[in-house]
Amino acid sequence: MIKLNIRTSARTELLDITSAIQRAVDDSGIQSGVATVFIPHTTAAVTINENADPSVKRDMLYEINKVIPFEDHYHHLEGNSAAHIKSSLFGCSQTIIIEDGRLQLGTWQGVYFCEFDGPRQRQVWVQILGE
């Protein structure tokens, strides 16, 4: 397993981690298999979405913050219930096919670390399994 360290700089943000995951695949030498990307945090997540137009990230964050506001009479004492809800909705893992040593993503797809309670120091765990 590879542990990637991520430093976020905002309360909510989407960080493109595609190249870091591809480097992990390159370093593994695996040519065919799967990469599982796991986020070991309850207020962060991982998703796959468009990485060509930066306005997609902005629109996603705008809408998720509108649907799940930071302040909404939550009961959780830490004050970060919205982050926990967002994390559960996005999910803590993604599985990506590897073929010919490359992540098999669509033309416009990228892998994003989703910060919902930052800024923080975070980790992304990557497990690469070959055939």
Side-chain angles (χ1 to χ4, degrees):
M1 179 175 58
I2 297 142
K3 294 181 179 181
L4 305 173
N5 292 310
I6 304 287
R7 180 75 183 144
T8 64
S9 59
R11 188 172 194 182
T12 60
E13 66 181 306
L14 300 178
L15 298 174
D16 188 341
I17 58 172
T18 311
S19 60
I21 296 168
Q22 182 60 57
R23 275 192 303 279
V25 171
D26 294 344
D27 292 347
S28 77
I30 299 294
Q31 292 297 302
S32 181
V34 294
T36 300
V37 180
F38 180 79
I39 308 302
H41 306 287
T42 61
T43 58
V46 63
T47 194
I48 295 174
N49 211 301
E50 181 177 331
N51 70 349
D53 180 354
S55 65
V56 172
K57 292 189 319 183
R58 185 182 65 235
D59 292 346
M60 287 176 59
L61 288 173
Y62 175 79
E63 288 302 319
I64 195 73
N65 289 333
K66 187 168 65 172
V67 172
I68 304 162
F70 294 109
E71 301 299 328
D72 200 22
H73 307 290
Y74 301 117
H75 295 276
H76 183 45
L77 295 177
E78 272 186 82
N80 61 354
S81 284
H84 290 289
I85 295 164
K86 292 169 188 176
S87 173
S88 289
L89 289 175
F90 275 71
C92 64
S93 68
Q94 293 286 330
T95 302
I96 306 161
I97 297 167
I98 300 166
E99 196 58 49
D100 296 324
R102 305 297 304 163
L103 296 170
Q104 297 300 292
L105 295 166
T107 302
W108 307 112
Q109 288 183 319
V111 183
Y112 287 96
F113 177 85
C114 309
E115 176 63 79
F116 298 124
D117 193 28
R120 291 180 184 249
Q121 183 69 37
R122 301 290 201 165
Q123 284 195 335
V124 175
W125 296 351
V126 182
Q127 179 75 54
I128 300 167
L129 302 173
E131 292 185 340

